[in-house]
């Protein structure tokens, strides 16, 4: 595979690297360049050292490691995921030791396992700091981070970057001719700084990285690409720089403008994607056939760009074959296990950010109970792993990597996150995880080909909405920078559709393009308080061409520079929705708005129904006879307005109903969103009828050319009978329980296939439907 890097043609943007792959047919890859293999692995690098640490190869290593790999294979896994680490593998400059990797690759091949290699450079050998003393990370308060193996040194330093990319290339040479080698994870949980609890530098919410000379120089080049001239930068930042050498990243906020802060955060997310692209190129130049991946610490839905060094999942997915995620539903820091709603929203987000890749990799899936010092989570059992693994596959994952085979042997996570015990005792959860891995392997072709059906409903993900106020990013309730209002709105809206088994996508603003929007019949824009002018124009064009847009309060209030619109909603949206903001007042906790009159756009609501509101109460003044008030506040001011525009329709809501639903679970809020689907008479591939009205049966579907895989999860605590109706092409279908191999009765009614089952609490049901050719 030949790899090229070129500058992005984005009009407004920074110098950004875009990976373009020229594919040829290579063993293990299909015509699209993706693997013809679905890896289900455990993390294991030889012995019991916890990642990213490594054991030294001894005379006994082959015997002990072979025993472990044979056990992994016998459990049912088809892949082992090992790692290499800079400190261990290049202890002296230019002196590489990949003996552990090479031995493990040979043993994996003997055991009949594939090999995925995780590369760690977040801990670095001490010689790097001695050779490049100006490469240490520098915080926004000027304090320098002295590396203790972790967090290493700044990738922006030209010398450090050269050594790191050389390390990637040397690792690739070590596996180039190894038959077991499948691919790479090039960056585990990308951030500017990893694995260093540097609280001594100050509040981690406010300390930013990196302010070393090399990062500042790279930022200046980014600014030159965006603004072209120093005069334009001065105008944008309200500064009087006389030389580019004077330009530095902002360290604190001012009352004047925070355009500099917005630029700094955009640079960081672009930079992380560029760094990943360079690492991908380094290994592809040596071993073209390896699949390239990376994975975030948690789905980006739950993060914020204002946090130091947080990646943008969509940008990262653009430069590797698959981008992925770590999933730890019972992490030590969770107050309670992740709810099905939280997990489903995260899965759909990761899938949506990888829409061009046709799937995503689960880089890490929790294997055992969590530990952080004296803080431990509830136990992980086999039923958990069965649910989590099938949930990942049902959401479109193309790999599941379980972390880890052995529990952590050292550090503040010692004893946690293991599939087996430290003495090698096989656990019940290991047996169950291996059993599911075997089913995935047996049906690999089906899972590689099949995709989730296209959704007609999309929820817009606009990272700029996190940035209102810059460093002074306080919420409507006076919550500080740690609050995540956009995420809460996204989660609340997703939940409203999830509860009705209505498939939805998350649509990144980078994908506001006709080829992506053509399939979207309903676009919901949550927490839209800050939007770029170009993106607003795209939303207007979407409505003009026949789309239906639903926006929450203060849409386009602030633009991409941090400047307020003259009229709210901004960017010309007031003409689309036929109204403008007439007043705005904060809500101390929560309030309500009420449905003015039953309307076809609110099919699940009736006159007088009250929806809960949060943060703001925004009243509207109607500007056109195209606009109609559907709901109002108690003072009679319009609160929800619907207007026709061009070939489409637009609705605006004067508060944040999604966030309110996330917090307070008022069923009227949920019905508002779900009713939009009914109003537009949209379609879904599967409908569910449960005997227990309070039951929640989550259904997922994967579609292939002549097959379907149906997944059903009873998310409730009671047994219930349920009937599932599938919209499938005409033909004769055979249905089979994928795990028991038993046939499932299938009926046809009104053009749909019907299957039924009595679901036990927490039960998972996986059914393959194959059409006779």
């Amino acid at each position: 595979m030949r790899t090229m890097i070129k500058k992005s043609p984005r009009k407004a943007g920074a110098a950004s690297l875009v990976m373009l792959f020229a594919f040829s047919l290579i063993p293990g890859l299909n015509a699209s360049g993706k693997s013809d293999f679905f890896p289900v692995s455990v993390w294991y690098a030889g012995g019991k050292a916890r990642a990213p640490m490594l054991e030294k190869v001894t005379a006994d290593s082959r015997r002990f490691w072979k025993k472990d790999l044979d056990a992994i294979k016998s459990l049912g896994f088809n892949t082992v995921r090992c790692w290499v680490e800079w400190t261990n593998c290049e202890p002296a400059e230019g002196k590489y030791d990949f003996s552990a990797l090479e031995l493990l690759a040979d043993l994996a091949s003997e055991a009949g396992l594939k090999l995925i290699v995780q590369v760690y450079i977040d801990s670095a050998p001490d010689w790097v700091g001695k050779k490049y003393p100006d490469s240490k990370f520098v915080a926004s308060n000027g304090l320098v981070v002295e590396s203790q193996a972790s967090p290493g040194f700044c990738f922006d330093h030209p010398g450090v970057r050269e050594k790191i990319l050389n390390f990637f290339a040397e690792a690739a040479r070590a596996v180039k001719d190894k038959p077991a080698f499948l691919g790479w994870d090039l960056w585990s949980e990308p951030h500017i700084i990893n694995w260093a609890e540097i609280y001594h530098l100050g509040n981690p919410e406010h300390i930013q990285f990196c302010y070393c000379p090399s990062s500042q120089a790279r930022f200046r080049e980014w600014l030159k690409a965006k603004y072209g001239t120093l005069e334009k930068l001065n105008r944008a930042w309200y500064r009087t720089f006389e030389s580019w050498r004077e330009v530095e990243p902002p360290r604190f906020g001012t009352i004047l403008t925070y355009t500099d802060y917005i630029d700094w955060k955009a640079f960081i997310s672009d930079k992380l994607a560029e760094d990943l692209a360079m690492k991908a190129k380094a290994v592809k130049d040596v071993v073209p056939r390896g699949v390239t991946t990376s994975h975030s610490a948690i789905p980006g839905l739950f993060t914020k760009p204002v946090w130091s060094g947080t990646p943008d999942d969509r940008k990262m997915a653009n430069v590797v074959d698959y981008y992925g995620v770590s999933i730890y539903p019972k992490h030590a820091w969770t107050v309670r296990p992740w709810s099905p709603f939280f997990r489903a929203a995260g899965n759909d987000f990761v899938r949506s950010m990888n829409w061009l890749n046709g799937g995503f990799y689960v880089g890490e899936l929790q294997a055992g109970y969590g530990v952080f010092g004296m803080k431990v989570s509830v136990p992980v059992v086999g039923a958990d792993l069965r649910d989590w693994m099938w949930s990942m596959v049902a959401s479109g994952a193309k790999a599941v990597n379980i972390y880890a085979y052995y529990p952590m042997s050292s550090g503040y996570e010692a004893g946690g996150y293991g599939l087996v015990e430290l003495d090698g005792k096989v656990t019940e959860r290991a047996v169950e995880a291996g059993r599911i891995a075997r089913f995935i392997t047996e049906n690999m072709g089906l899972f590689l080909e099949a995709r989730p059906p296209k959704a007609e409903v999309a929820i817009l993900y606009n990272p700029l909405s996190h940035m209102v106020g810059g460093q002074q990013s306080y919420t409507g309730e006076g919550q500080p920078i740690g609050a995540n209002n956009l995420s809460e709105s996204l989660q609340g809206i997703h939940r409203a559709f999830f509860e009705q088994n209505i498939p939805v996508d998350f649509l990144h603003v980078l994908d506001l393009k006709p080829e992506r929007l053509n399939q979207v019949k309903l676009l919901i824009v949550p927490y839209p308080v800050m939007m770029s002018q170009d993106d607003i124009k795209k939303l207007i064009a979407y409505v003009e061409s026949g789309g239906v847009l639903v926006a929450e309060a203060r849409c386009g209030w602030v633009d991409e520079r941090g400047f307020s619109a003259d009229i709210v909603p901004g960017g010309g949206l007031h003409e689309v929705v036929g109204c403008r903001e007439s007043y705005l007042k904060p809500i101390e906790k929560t309030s309500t708005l009420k449905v003015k009159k039953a309307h076809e756009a609110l099919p699940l609501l009736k006159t007088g129904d009250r929806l809960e509101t949060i943060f703001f109460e925004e009243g509207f003044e109607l500007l056109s006879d195209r606009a109609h008030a559907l709901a109002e506040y108690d003072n009679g001011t319009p609160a929800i307005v619907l207007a026709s525009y061009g070939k489409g329709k637009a609705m605006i809501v004067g508060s944040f109903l999604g966030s309110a639903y996330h917090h307070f679970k008022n069923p009227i809020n949920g019905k508002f969103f779900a009713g939009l689907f009914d109003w537009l008479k949209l379609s879904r591939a599967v409908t569910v009828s449960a005997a227990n009205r309070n039951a929640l049966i989550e259904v997922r579907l994967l579609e292939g050319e002549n097959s379907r895989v149906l997944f059903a999860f009873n998310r409730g605590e009671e047994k219930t009978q349920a009937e599932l109706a599938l919209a499938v092409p005409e033909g004769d279908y055979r249905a089979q329980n994928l795990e028991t191999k038993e046939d499932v009765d299938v009926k046809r009614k009104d053009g749909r296939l019907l299957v039924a089952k009595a679901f036990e609490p927490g039960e998972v049901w996986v059914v393959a439907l194959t059409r006779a050719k």
Side-chain angles (χ1 to χ4, degrees):
M1 186 184 299
R2 183 167 51 88
T3 308
M4 298 169 286
I5 296 182
K6 71 172 187 178
K7 295 290 184 181
S8 168
R10 290 180 305 160
K11 180 174 66 174
S16 182
L17 300 181
V18 178
M19 301 296 291
L20 299 178
F21 298 107
F23 292 107
S24 58
L25 287 178
I26 299 168
L29 295 179
N30 59 30
S32 67
K34 298 301 175 63
S35 173
D36 282 328
F37 193 83
F38 192 122
V40 189
S41 83
V42 292
W43 284 60
Y44 175 83
K48 299 179 182 180
R50 65 146 303 151
M53 300 168 73
L54 288 165
E55 289 188 2
K56 292 295 184 182
V57 177
T58 69
D60 293 324
S61 294
R62 168 173 276 275
R63 177 166 54 90
F64 288 128
W65 296 6
K66 175 177 172 53
K67 180 181 177 182
D68 284 339
L69 290 175
D70 287 343
I72 290 168
K73 176 69 174 180
S74 66
L75 281 170
F77 296 97
N78 61 34
T79 302
V80 62
R81 184 185 182 108
C82 70
W83 57 89
V84 294
E85 186 264 342
W86 197 12
T87 300
N88 183 284
C89 298
E90 194 184 357
E93 183 179 1
K95 305 294 184 182
Y96 298 99
D97 179 7
F98 290 109
S99 56
L101 173 61
E102 292 165 342
L103 174 58
L104 204 64
D106 292 338
L107 292 173
S109 183
E110 294 173 16
L113 294 166
K114 294 290 186 181
L115 184 77
I116 294 176
V117 183
Q118 175 73 61
V119 185
Y120 286 114
I121 52 89
D122 305 273
S123 57
D126 291 331
W127 63 261
V128 178
K130 294 175 183 176
K131 185 177 182 70
Y132 305 112
D134 56 342
S135 68
K136 298 173 183 177
F137 290 107
V138 179
S140 50
N141 61 6
L143 295 180
V144 176
V145 179
E146 298 292 341
S147 181
Q148 301 170 184
S150 175
F153 303 93
C154 187
F155 187 79
D156 293 337
H157 188 284
V160 172
R161 181 164 60 244
E162 179 185 12
K163 298 302 180 183
I164 287 174
L165 296 179
N166 286 345
F167 180 77
F168 275 90
E170 289 297 327
R173 292 185 183 97
V175 296
K176 182 177 181 180
D177 298 318
K178 300 296 184 182
F181 173 69
L182 180 66
W184 307 92
D185 189 303
L186 302 164
W187 200 349
S188 174
E189 302 180 351
H191 286 83
I192 301 297
I193 278 190
N194 255 352
W195 309 333
E197 309 298 329
I198 48 176
Y199 303 129
H200 68 287
L201 296 182
N203 185 338
E205 292 284 2
H206 300 287
I207 297 296
Q208 303 290 317
F209 288 97
C210 177
Y211 288 72
C212 74
S214 297
S215 290
Q216 294 200 42
R218 189 169 173 184
F219 181 46
R220 291 185 196 105
E221 294 304 310
W222 187 95
L223 292 170
K224 289 176 183 178
K226 177 175 181 177
Y227 291 105
T229 67
L230 194 60
E231 180 184 6
K232 290 181 180 178
L233 175 68
N234 278 330
R235 191 180 309 126
W237 283 20
Y238 199 71
R239 300 293 291 275
T240 56
F241 298 119
E242 295 181 355
S243 165
W244 281 103
R245 293 190 301 274
E246 300 173 8
V247 180
E248 294 187 355
R251 299 174 188 269
F252 53 86
T254 74
I255 201 172
L256 304 177
T257 176
Y258 55 92
T259 306
D260 53 357
Y261 181 72
I262 297 169
D263 282 340
W264 174 238
K265 287 301 177 180
F267 159 73
I268 292 295
S269 69
D270 278 358
K271 179 195 109 63
L272 290 171
E274 291 172 8
D275 293 352
L276 180 58
M278 285 187 266
K279 294 171 183 178
K281 183 180 186 304
V283 296
K284 286 291 189 181
D285 282 351
V286 178
V287 190
R289 66 184 172 90
V291 175
T292 55
T293 74
S294 174
H295 67 281
S296 284
I298 193 171
L301 172 65
F302 309 121
T303 67
K304 301 175 68 174
V306 298
W307 296 342
S308 183
T310 301
D312 184 311
D313 288 5
R314 178 65 185 86
K315 292 179 182 179
M316 302 295 271
N318 208 41
V319 299
V320 286
D321 294 322
Y322 296 103
Y323 194 62
V325 67
S326 290
I327 299 292
Y328 287 86
K330 291 186 174 181
H331 194 278
W333 280 109
T334 56
V335 177
R336 61 184 65 85
W338 291 3
S339 72
F341 310 103
F342 188 90
R343 287 195 285 124
N347 293 350
D348 281 338
F349 186 87
V350 177
R351 171 186 57 77
S352 297
M353 298 304 103
N354 278 272
W355 73 277
L356 285 172
N357 296 334
F360 63 95
Y361 267 34
V362 182
E364 301 177 36
L365 179 63
Q366 184 174 357
Y369 72 94
V371 175
F372 193 98
M374 286 292 290
K375 188 175 179 60
V376 299
S377 75
V378 295
V380 174
V381 297
D384 292 326
L385 281 161
R386 180 170 182 250
D387 181 354
W388 301 343
M389 292 173 75
W390 280 133
S391 294
M392 297 292 108
V393 176
S395 299
K398 301 303 177 186
V400 178
N401 299 277
I402 294 177
Y403 188 92
Y405 185 62
Y406 282 114
M408 303 300 96
S409 57
S410 63
Y412 52 70
E413 294 177 331
Y417 304 106
L419 194 63
V420 301
E421 304 294 352
L422 261 175
D423 65 356
K425 179 183 177 182
V426 175
T427 64
E428 171 265 349
R429 63 183 179 274
V431 173
E432 184 66 1
R435 190 176 73 90
I436 303 305
R438 187 174 290 110
F439 290 134
I440 295 172
T441 301
E442 291 172 354
N443 298 277
M444 185 179 297
L446 181 61
F447 292 128
L448 286 172
E449 178 208 11
R451 302 281 189 274
K454 293 181 179 179
E456 294 180 316
V457 179
I459 307 170
L460 190 68
Y461 175 65
N462 172 33
L464 265 181
S465 288
H466 287 295
M467 304 289 288
V468 174
Q471 292 97 320
Q472 281 67 45
S473 182
Y474 286 80
T475 73
E477 288 186 309
Q479 298 173 2
I481 196 170
N484 199 338
N485 292 342
L486 174 59
S487 176
E488 292 167 356
S489 290
L490 291 162
Q491 290 180 65
I493 295 169
H494 180 276
R495 177 171 180 155
F497 290 108
F498 172 81
E499 290 170 335
Q500 304 303 318
N501 280 298
I502 297 170
V504 295
D505 288 340
F506 289 98
L507 184 71
H508 196 292
V509 288
L510 292 176
D511 295 317
L512 284 173
K513 302 172 183 177
E515 59 268 29
R516 185 70 177 88
L517 287 171
N518 285 341
Q519 76 180 53
V520 177
K521 303 295 189 282
L522 170 63
L523 180 59
I524 300 176
V525 186
Y527 203 73
V529 290
M530 186 172 184
M531 295 193 74
S532 78
Q533 295 297 293
D534 281 348
D535 290 338
I536 291 176
K537 290 176 182 177
K538 293 171 185 176
L539 295 180
I540 293 173
Y542 168 73
V543 178
E544 283 180 324
S545 63
V548 176
L549 181 75
V550 177
E552 290 192 311
R554 306 227 83 192
C555 191
W557 163 30
V558 181
D559 68 14
E560 67 272 26
R561 304 167 301 154
F563 283 56
S564 180
D566 294 339
I567 299 174
V568 178
L573 276 171
H574 68 287
E575 297 179 357
V576 178
V577 294
C579 65
R580 64 178 291 169
E581 181 180 283
S582 61
Y583 74 87
L584 181 75
K585 72 174 187 179
I587 298 171
E588 183 175 349
K589 182 66 176 178
T590 183
S591 187
T592 63
L593 57 84
K594 63 182 178 181
V595 175
K596 183 177 180 180
K597 185 179 180 181
H599 192 278
E600 65 173 355
L602 308 175
L604 302 183
L605 306 183
K606 62 183 183 298
T607 302
D609 276 348
R610 288 189 172 270
L611 295 90
E612 281 195 270
T613 57
I614 194 170
F615 302 140
F616 294 148
E617 176 180 303
E618 180 186 31
F620 298 111
E621 171 193 347
L622 301 187
L623 303 175
S624 168
D625 57 8
R626 295 182 291 102
H628 306 279
L630 305 186
E632 61 189 11
Y633 300 110
D634 287 340
N635 62 11
T637 303
I640 299 178
V641 176
L642 174 67
S644 57
Y645 186 81
K647 298 179 181 179
K649 297 180 184 297
M651 183 186 298
I652 191 164
V653 182
S655 192
F656 305 107
L657 301 185
S659 185
Y661 191 52
H662 171 76
H663 283 285
F664 310 121
K665 311 298 185 298
N666 182 343
I668 302 300
N669 287 49
K671 289 180 179 180
F672 166 78
F673 289 109
L676 299 171
F677 181 88
D678 293 347
W679 167 44
L680 298 175
K681 297 180 173 57
L682 304 181
S683 61
R684 52 187 154 194
V686 187
T687 57
V688 181
S689 300
N692 184 342
R693 290 182 57 191
N694 296 321
L696 176 57
I697 305 295
E698 176 190 356
V699 293
R700 297 273 177 168
L701 189 69
L702 297 178
E703 297 180 337
E705 184 176 354
N706 290 298
S707 60
R708 302 287 188 275
V709 185
L710 174 68
F711 302 82
F713 307 83
N714 184 0
R715 298 306 184 193
E717 298 179 356
E718 298 180 12
K719 182 176 180 178
T720 187
Q721 180 74 24
E723 182 179 74
L724 286 62
L726 292 78
V728 297
E730 289 295 327
D732 295 325
Y733 287 82
R734 180 194 178 194
Q736 185 182 58
N737 185 314
L738 207 62
E739 296 184 62
T740 67
K741 310 302 183 186
E742 296 174 346
D743 286 340
V744 175
D745 289 335
V746 178
K747 299 178 181 178
R748 264 207 180 270
K749 183 179 180 181
D750 299 328
R752 285 181 170 249
L753 290 184
L754 303 181
V755 293
K757 179 176 173 53
F759 287 89
E760 297 292 335
E763 184 173 358
V764 182
W765 195 40
V766 185
V767 177
L769 298 106
T770 307
R771 182 172 61 173
K773 296 182 180 179

